[in-house]
Amino acid sequence: MNQIKSPRDWRVELLRVIACFMVIIIHIRLYPFSGTTLRDSVILMYVLSGPSVAIFFLISGFFFRGTQSILHIWKRFLTSVICPAMVLIMALSFLRPWIAQPEISLLQSMRMAHPLQDFLSMLRGFLCLDVVSFGSYAEHLWYILSYGTMMLWVPIIIGLLRAHEERILLLLMGFAFLHFTLDNLNGLYPLPIALYRPECIGKPTMYAIAGCFLYRHVTVRRSTLDRSVEARERYACLLLELLLSIALFFLQKQLYVKGLQMGQDIAALNANYYYTSWSGMLCGLQAIAISAFILMLPEIPAWAAQTIRTLGSLTFPIYLIHFIFTNHFRALGIEQAAQQLFGGSFVGIVLYTLCYAALIFALCALMILAWRQMKQRLLKRMKRNLSTGN
């Protein structure tokens, strides 16, 4: 008897879309300092886009179940994540000159490629977990390498879930949270006493375990609570997210002000987004609060849910290819023209960031949809030709 596949949870897909949009904002955002002027609008964009990577890792743990096959999870990781990333890296071998120098044609760019050398560099990058070996315009693939380190923990996570040893998973997550919180504090303010920081799992695995418990908890709450109580909990999550965002904004701003007063180099300060990085535990809590809020949203019309599912299915391909367009448009001068169009005011910078990110997202989405349609038609034509040939 054939099982009917249940549709993907549109709330999870909405989270994917939001996280993907945040990643694009990260890759187009301006620097906080313009000369020696600190721009609050840019810090706000840092705060809004900071939880992106943490949300992706949370989502990776949403569907961990004790009944899952470990081999199936690894196979899916290889076919759905590693293989597309390898295709992108090899494609970049032919596209790099064209991305950086728009005056070069695609044909010229392909002639300048060194595919064998780039293929060997790509293998070295995967074996050594070294994103630099992937070459320019592939720096954002560090996420996939981090995701790979989390996949090594999958047998342990699934094994503990099968044995109903959730408490051990909670301990692993708790030790990691303590370790990285102490790490965060010690990185900014050396602690007056020596504190032991327990050895722990990595951040990706910590977030994946947190995602497993979060999704399970919210799903149960959604099915047992009445609408008024669910709404109160939902808005409590939103309030927590807003409070954390405000705290992160002022902490990050204080970091820049203090650095400027101490005479730190502006270029070094521009590259410092300490509090708004996914490595920061406050940013991690912000990601959990956003995720809980989205997961507790009430039902929406079927057409809207289906639209979100379609966009959600595009997020990983968009993540892979958006870096090509952000860098090529920068070389063409489109990014600078858009900045000048919106101006340098607080509202102008915010609007520029959101609108330009939406443009990149939409362009990538349309290209992927067009490619899928073309692939479907080609497959149908091939099947038709085979059937007529027989």
Side-chain angles (χ1 to χ4, degrees):
M1 193 173 181
N2 293 330
Q3 290 184 342
I4 299 172
K5 225 177 181 181
S6 58
R8 297 189 305 273
D9 188 341
W10 65 265
R11 298 171 183 87
V12 177
E13 300 309 309
L14 178 58
L15 261 181
R16 290 189 208 275
V17 172
I18 291 169
C20 184
F21 192 74
M22 288 176 175
V23 168
I24 297 174
I25 288 176
I26 289 172
H27 293 147
I28 65 167
R29 64 187 177 190
L30 302 168
Y31 291 119
F33 283 95
S34 177
T36 55
T37 303
L38 182 60
R39 298 183 287 187
D40 288 347
S41 53
V42 179
I43 301 174
L44 177 63
M45 291 297 100
Y46 275 38
V47 171
L48 291 179
S49 59
S52 55
V53 175
I55 291 174
F56 273 128
F57 284 126
L58 283 170
I59 293 171
S60 67
F62 280 0
F63 304 107
F64 281 159
R65 298 289 183 272
T67 55
Q68 286 178 300
S69 163
I70 295 166
L71 288 177
H72 174 73
I73 295 172
W74 277 351
K75 182 183 175 183
R76 189 173 178 183
F77 171 66
L78 289 172
T79 56
S80 303
V81 177
I82 296 297
C83 289
M86 292 176 74
V87 170
L88 173 73
I89 294 166
M90 291 311 300
L92 285 172
S93 174
F94 298 96
L95 295 175
R96 280 191 186 96
W98 173 78
I99 294 170
Q101 302 170 340
E103 65 275 7
I104 294 177
S105 69
L106 277 171
L107 187 60
Q108 286 176 305
S109 182
M110 290 177 185
R111 286 173 179 167
M112 296 165 70
H114 303 284
L116 180 59
Q117 182 182 333
D118 289 335
F119 178 74
L120 294 174
S121 296
M122 177 186 69
L123 291 181
R124 183 169 62 249
F126 278 114
L127 292 172
C128 302
L129 299 181
D130 174 27
V131 73
V132 176
S133 298
F134 293 159
S136 54
Y137 310 122
E139 298 92 340
H140 62 305
L141 299 184
W142 67 266
Y143 164 77
I144 289 173
L145 298 182
S146 296
Y147 193 88
T149 63
M150 184 269 291
M151 291 299 296
L152 296 175
W153 282 90
V154 163
I156 295 172
I157 295 171
I158 299 298
L160 289 171
L161 288 172
R162 280 178 188 167
H164 304 290
E165 293 288 356
E166 285 84 358
R167 290 182 182 180
I168 296 177
L169 282 175
L170 285 170
L171 278 173
L172 287 172
M173 185 180 68
F175 280 136
F177 184 80
L178 176 63
H179 176 99
F180 294 121
T181 300
L182 292 175
D183 235 16
N184 291 165
L185 289 171
N186 201 42
L188 289 173
Y189 308 102
L191 301 173
I193 56 172
L195 290 177
Y196 173 69
R197 282 176 286 173
E199 295 298 324
C200 68
I201 56 179
K203 291 189 191 80
T205 311
M206 177 191 70
Y207 281 119
I209 294 172
C212 177
F213 285 110
L214 175 67
Y215 191 71
R216 185 186 299 185
H217 174 75
V218 172
T219 304
V220 170
R221 298 293 283 175
R222 248 183 9 217
S223 60
T224 56
L225 291 179
D226 61 55
R227 289 185 180 180
S228 60
V229 178
E230 186 183 351
R232 284 201 295 271
E233 290 198 2
R234 181 168 64 246
Y235 290 118
C237 293
L238 180 60
L239 177 62
L240 176 61
E241 196 278 327
L242 290 173
L243 291 173
L244 287 167
S245 296
I246 292 167
L248 284 166
F249 176 87
F250 286 107
L251 284 168
Q252 188 67 28
K253 184 172 182 177
Q254 176 60 24
L255 189 70
Y256 290 134
V257 171
K258 186 179 177 183
L260 198 62
Q261 290 171 346
M262 292 173 64
Q264 289 184 21
D265 184 54
I266 295 291
L269 287 172
N270 274 332
N272 187 351
Y273 42 91
Y274 188 89
Y275 284 108
T276 57
S277 163
W278 74 284
S279 299
M281 292 301 97
L282 277 179
C283 190
L285 291 174
Q286 184 192 22
I288 291 172
I290 295 170
S291 301
F293 171 74
I294 296 296
L295 291 174
M296 296 185 77
L297 287 174
E299 289 298 331
I300 59 175
W303 65 268
Q306 187 54 45
T307 302
I308 291 170
R309 289 188 190 103
T310 301
L311 290 174
S313 71
L314 303 174
T315 50
F316 185 65
I318 289 172
Y319 162 78
L320 287 178
I321 68 170
H322 80 277
F323 216 49
I324 294 173
F325 294 100
T326 53
N327 283 282
H328 187 59
F329 286 176
R330 191 170 294 136
L332 283 169
I334 295 173
E335 185 179 272
Q336 188 178 3
Q339 290 174 18
Q340 291 173 352
L341 176 66
F342 285 97
S345 66
F346 182 96
V347 174
I349 289 173
V350 171
L351 284 176
Y352 153 73
T353 306
L354 296 176
C355 293
Y356 193 62
L359 173 67
I360 298 291
F361 185 96
L363 177 64
C364 293
L366 288 171
M367 286 192 65
I368 295 159
L369 285 171
W371 161 249
R372 287 182 177 178
Q373 287 290 326
M374 185 174 69
K375 188 172 74 170
Q376 264 187 341
R377 288 178 183 176
L378 283 171
L379 288 172
K380 282 181 181 177
R381 186 174 294 178
M382 286 173 63
K383 284 181 182 178
R384 198 183 304 122
N385 291 339
L386 286 171
S387 61
T388 52
N390 292 334

mmCIF file of all heavy atoms in Angstrom, residues 17 39 106 123 192 245 280 295 316 361 373 375:
data_model
loop_
_atom_site.group_PDB
_atom_site.id
_atom_site.type_symbol
_atom_site.label_atom_id
_atom_site.label_comp_id
_atom_site.label_asym_id
_atom_site.label_seq_id
_atom_site.Cartn_x
_atom_site.Cartn_y
_atom_site.Cartn_z
ATOM 1 N N VAL A 17 13.218 30.328 4.651
ATOM 2 C CA VAL A 17 13.208 31.529 3.804
ATOM 3 C C VAL A 17 13.788 32.710 4.573
ATOM 4 O O VAL A 17 14.613 33.468 4.038
ATOM 5 C CB VAL A 17 11.771 31.839 3.332
ATOM 6 C CG1 VAL A 17 11.712 33.178 2.617
ATOM 7 C CG2 VAL A 17 11.259 30.726 2.411
ATOM 8 N N ARG A 39 27.319 54.103 12.225
ATOM 9 C CA ARG A 39 25.963 54.146 11.680
ATOM 10 C C ARG A 39 25.070 53.118 12.382
ATOM 11 O O ARG A 39 25.286 51.904 12.269
ATOM 12 C CB ARG A 39 25.997 53.890 10.172
ATOM 13 C CG ARG A 39 26.786 54.957 9.422
ATOM 14 C CD ARG A 39 26.765 54.743 7.934
ATOM 15 N NE ARG A 39 27.588 53.622 7.510
ATOM 16 C CZ ARG A 39 27.842 53.324 6.239
ATOM 17 N NH1 ARG A 39 27.329 54.075 5.273
ATOM 18 N NH2 ARG A 39 28.585 52.284 5.919
ATOM 19 N N LEU A 106 31.562 35.208 -21.068
ATOM 20 C CA LEU A 106 31.514 33.894 -20.416
ATOM 21 C C LEU A 106 32.415 32.893 -21.135
ATOM 22 O O LEU A 106 33.060 32.051 -20.493
ATOM 23 C CB LEU A 106 30.073 33.376 -20.381
ATOM 24 C CG LEU A 106 29.196 33.888 -19.235
ATOM 25 C CD1 LEU A 106 27.743 33.479 -19.461
ATOM 26 C CD2 LEU A 106 29.688 33.360 -17.901
ATOM 27 N N LEU A 123 38.865 18.816 -3.553
ATOM 28 C CA LEU A 123 39.019 17.598 -2.759
ATOM 29 C C LEU A 123 39.824 17.868 -1.502
ATOM 30 O O LEU A 123 39.485 17.379 -0.414
ATOM 31 C CB LEU A 123 39.688 16.498 -3.590
ATOM 32 C CG LEU A 123 38.870 15.907 -4.751
ATOM 33 C CD1 LEU A 123 39.668 14.820 -5.447
ATOM 34 C CD2 LEU A 123 37.546 15.347 -4.253
ATOM 35 N N PRO A 192 38.066 37.252 36.338
ATOM 36 C CA PRO A 192 39.006 37.455 37.448
ATOM 37 C C PRO A 192 39.480 36.154 38.074
ATOM 38 O O PRO A 192 40.511 36.116 38.741
ATOM 39 C CB PRO A 192 38.181 38.265 38.459
ATOM 40 C CG PRO A 192 36.753 37.945 38.139
ATOM 41 C CD PRO A 192 36.711 37.720 36.659
ATOM 42 N N SER A 245 17.164 41.435 20.854
ATOM 43 C CA SER A 245 17.662 42.265 19.739
ATOM 44 C C SER A 245 18.097 43.631 20.237
ATOM 45 O O SER A 245 19.140 44.157 19.812
ATOM 46 C CB SER A 245 16.568 42.415 18.673
ATOM 47 O OG SER A 245 16.243 41.176 18.098
ATOM 48 N N GLY A 280 27.899 33.820 19.159
ATOM 49 C CA GLY A 280 27.513 34.387 20.446
ATOM 50 C C GLY A 280 26.249 33.729 20.977
ATOM 51 O O GLY A 280 25.288 33.504 20.240
ATOM 52 N N LEU A 295 7.238 28.986 14.635
ATOM 53 C CA LEU A 295 6.645 27.655 14.740
ATOM 54 C C LEU A 295 5.276 27.675 15.412
ATOM 55 O O LEU A 295 4.497 26.723 15.259
ATOM 56 C CB LEU A 295 7.582 26.723 15.510
ATOM 57 C CG LEU A 295 8.886 26.334 14.807
ATOM 58 C CD1 LEU A 295 9.776 25.536 15.738
ATOM 59 C CD2 LEU A 295 8.610 25.548 13.524
ATOM 60 N N PHE A 316 18.132 26.336 -0.296
ATOM 61 C CA PHE A 316 19.517 25.837 -0.373
ATOM 62 C C PHE A 316 20.171 26.190 -1.706
ATOM 63 O O PHE A 316 21.315 26.673 -1.724
ATOM 64 C CB PHE A 316 19.578 24.334 -0.109
ATOM 65 C CG PHE A 316 20.995 23.811 -0.061
ATOM 66 C CD1 PHE A 316 21.869 24.217 0.929
ATOM 67 C CD2 PHE A 316 21.453 22.944 -1.036
ATOM 68 C CE1 PHE A 316 23.184 23.762 0.963
ATOM 69 C CE2 PHE A 316 22.758 22.474 -1.012
ATOM 70 C CZ PHE A 316 23.626 22.879 -0.006
ATOM 71 N N PHE A 361 17.443 37.688 -3.842
ATOM 72 C CA PHE A 361 16.660 36.491 -3.531
ATOM 73 C C PHE A 361 15.714 36.160 -4.683
ATOM 74 O O PHE A 361 15.634 34.999 -5.127
ATOM 75 C CB PHE A 361 15.866 36.711 -2.234
ATOM 76 C CG PHE A 361 15.119 35.502 -1.747
ATOM 77 C CD1 PHE A 361 15.674 34.665 -0.790
ATOM 78 C CD2 PHE A 361 13.851 35.186 -2.242
ATOM 79 C CE1 PHE A 361 14.987 33.540 -0.335
ATOM 80 C CE2 PHE A 361 13.161 34.067 -1.804
ATOM 81 C CZ PHE A 361 13.729 33.248 -0.839
ATOM 82 N N GLN A 373 11.903 23.949 -14.356
ATOM 83 C CA GLN A 373 10.908 23.777 -15.415
ATOM 84 C C GLN A 373 11.553 23.203 -16.672
ATOM 85 O O GLN A 373 11.008 22.291 -17.304
ATOM 86 C CB GLN A 373 10.256 25.126 -15.735
ATOM 87 C CG GLN A 373 9.281 25.614 -14.676
ATOM 88 C CD GLN A 373 8.009 24.771 -14.633
ATOM 89 O OE1 GLN A 373 7.542 24.289 -15.658
ATOM 90 N NE2 GLN A 373 7.469 24.575 -13.448
ATOM 91 N N LYS A 375 14.318 21.450 -16.861
ATOM 92 C CA LYS A 375 14.735 20.067 -16.602
ATOM 93 C C LYS A 375 13.541 19.112 -16.693
ATOM 94 O O LYS A 375 13.659 18.022 -17.259
ATOM 95 C CB LYS A 375 15.383 19.977 -15.216
ATOM 96 C CG LYS A 375 16.031 18.636 -14.925
ATOM 97 C CD LYS A 375 16.823 18.671 -13.634
ATOM 98 C CE LYS A 375 15.881 18.662 -12.438
ATOM 99 N NZ LYS A 375 16.602 18.446 -11.152
#
